[in-house]
Amino acid sequence: MLVMTSIKAPSIVILTGAGISAESGIQTFRASDGLWHNHRIEEVATPEGFAQNPSLVHEFYNARRKQLHDPAIQPNAAHLALARLERNYPGKVLLVTQNVDNLHERAGSKQLIHMHGELNKIHCQQTGQVYNWDRDLSTTSTCQCCHQAGNLRPHIVWFGEMPLQMEEIYRALMACGLFISIGTSGQVYPAAGFVQIAQQAGARTVELNLDPTSNSAMFDESLNGTASQLVPSYVDQLLS
Ligand code: BV8
């Protein structure tokens, strides 16, 4: 249990993964079928896969982007609890998500980093210019910067690519007093290594996940259950 001194509330860094959006109806990556939306990850989530078959990758992300506009897909109690924590906690709270959906921002989180990009953004491969984009993207879509087709891609960090805002994330991890990992299997790096950085910085580390993960033993505390159950009650504890 974190004891908040009157002097300064320790800063909190939170890492979320697909598990926090599962109860909102968005499929996780490593569900039992092992495939991901019926595709091998190498085909649809690598630069090589995109170069090989851009239309297949556009289709894959167009389907996931469209799903975000389905009224049935809404932030759940876990997303809302994290936004409440940010609003009411006396110290700094940084939310780093591996998810590319927009449920954290729709729940009200503001101090938010999408380290693996966002479904509702695209960028030009020539200029790096990032655009908000909420509709289908294809090889014939033209960008405002080059005024030609074929340069636009999803603003998503694929395997082998550099995650976004890593400097800011490392700085926050080294300064935090509490690191909470929620709904992630801890299999993808560098995110899966964040718990060690926080630990070395002297932070308390907590894992909230449906099942034990390959990382569970590294945490000071590891609780199993659904995010919509565990997260609101953990936030209540932090705010009490
Ligand atoms: C990098 C965007 C250098 C795509 C994603 C060997 C060869 C090649 C590469 C590597 C290698 N070894 C290591 C690497 C690096 C590689 C990597 O880690 N590979 C793994 C597979 C071994 N990583 C990279 O390539 C990264 N880049 O390393 O660049 C570098 C290094 C350091 C510093 C700078 C540069 C880039 C990785 C990003 C790839 N893109 N996503 C898209 O979304 O379309 S990754 C993708 O999978 C997600 O974004 C997420 O990050 C990741 C993990 O998924 P999870 O979120 O954890 O989801 P998962 O399904 O796995 O787990 C869900 C969990 O939720 C489960 O535990 C489940 O129990 C739980 N759960 C389910 N329901 C609930 C629940 N919990 C609570 N409540 C519930 N209801």
Side-chain angles (χ1 to χ4, degrees):
M1 183 50 208
L2 189 75
V3 177
M4 284 197 288
T5 59
S6 55
I7 306 157
K8 193 169 169 320
S11 66
I12 301 176
V13 174
I14 300 162
L15 173 70
T16 61
I20 200 169
S21 295
E23 290 162 273
S24 295
I26 295 182
Q27 194 180 346
T28 64
F29 290 82
R30 290 164 189 83
S32 55
D33 60 11
L35 273 182
W36 180 28
H37 297 268
N38 307 318
H39 289 291
R40 284 170 357 97
I41 283 189
E42 296 76 15
E43 284 171 343
V44 290
T46 61
E48 298 75 14
F50 184 61
Q52 181 85 31
N53 188 342
S55 299
L56 173 73
V57 176
H58 282 311
E59 267 168 45
F60 176 64
Y61 286 98
N62 289 343
R64 290 171 66 197
R65 192 178 301 109
K66 200 168 282 165
Q67 187 190 27
L68 285 189
H69 304 298
D70 178 345
I73 304 286
Q74 294 293 330
N76 63 53
H79 297 106
L80 294 166
L82 294 183
R84 174 163 59 91
L85 178 67
E86 180 187 321
R87 279 197 304 274
N88 301 322
Y89 183 69
K92 275 197 278 185
V93 177
L94 176 66
L95 174 50
V96 180
T97 187
Q98 300 172 90
N99 300 338
V100 294
D101 64 52
N102 59 355
L103 296 180
H104 281 306
E105 37 278 67
R106 286 168 57 189
S109 287
K110 306 254 180 285
Q111 297 304 316
L112 171 64
I113 292 179
H114 279 276
M115 67 178 287
H116 290 162
E118 298 173 62
L119 274 174
N120 283 335
K121 286 192 176 135
I122 60 172
H123 73 249
C124 172
Q125 296 177 95
Q126 296 309 316
T127 65
Q129 173 73 39
V130 178
Y131 298 96
N132 291 319
W133 191 273
D134 61 5
R135 51 200 187 282
D136 281 0
L137 186 67
S138 76
T139 51
T140 59
S141 308
T142 56
C143 50
Q144 310 296 322
C145 38
C146 315
H147 304 291
Q148 68 188 55
N151 292 344
L152 289 166
R153 59 164 273 183
H155 188 56
I156 296 279
V157 177
W158 286 325
F159 286 94
E161 296 186 322
M162 174 86 85
L164 306 174
Q165 298 178 251
M166 290 302 293
E167 279 307 306
E168 189 181 345
I169 295 170
Y170 285 136
R171 253 198 322 273
L173 286 169
M174 288 187 273
C176 76
L178 175 60
F179 173 73
I180 312 171
S181 173
I182 304 170
T184 178
S185 61
Q187 292 179 39
V188 173
Y189 288 85
F194 289 173
V195 55
Q196 276 149 313
I197 299 171
Q199 210 125 50
Q200 281 151 14
R204 179 167 171 68
T205 57
V206 177
E207 180 185 56
L208 307 178
N209 199 63
L210 188 64
D211 314 309
T213 68
S214 44
N215 263 359
S216 294
M218 285 184 212
F219 289 85
D220 297 317
E221 191 181 2
S222 179
L223 303 176
N224 292 144
T226 61
S228 64
Q229 294 288 321
L230 292 180
V231 180
S233 66
Y234 202 81
V235 166
D236 289 345
Q237 274 185 55
L238 287 174
L239 294 176
S240 65

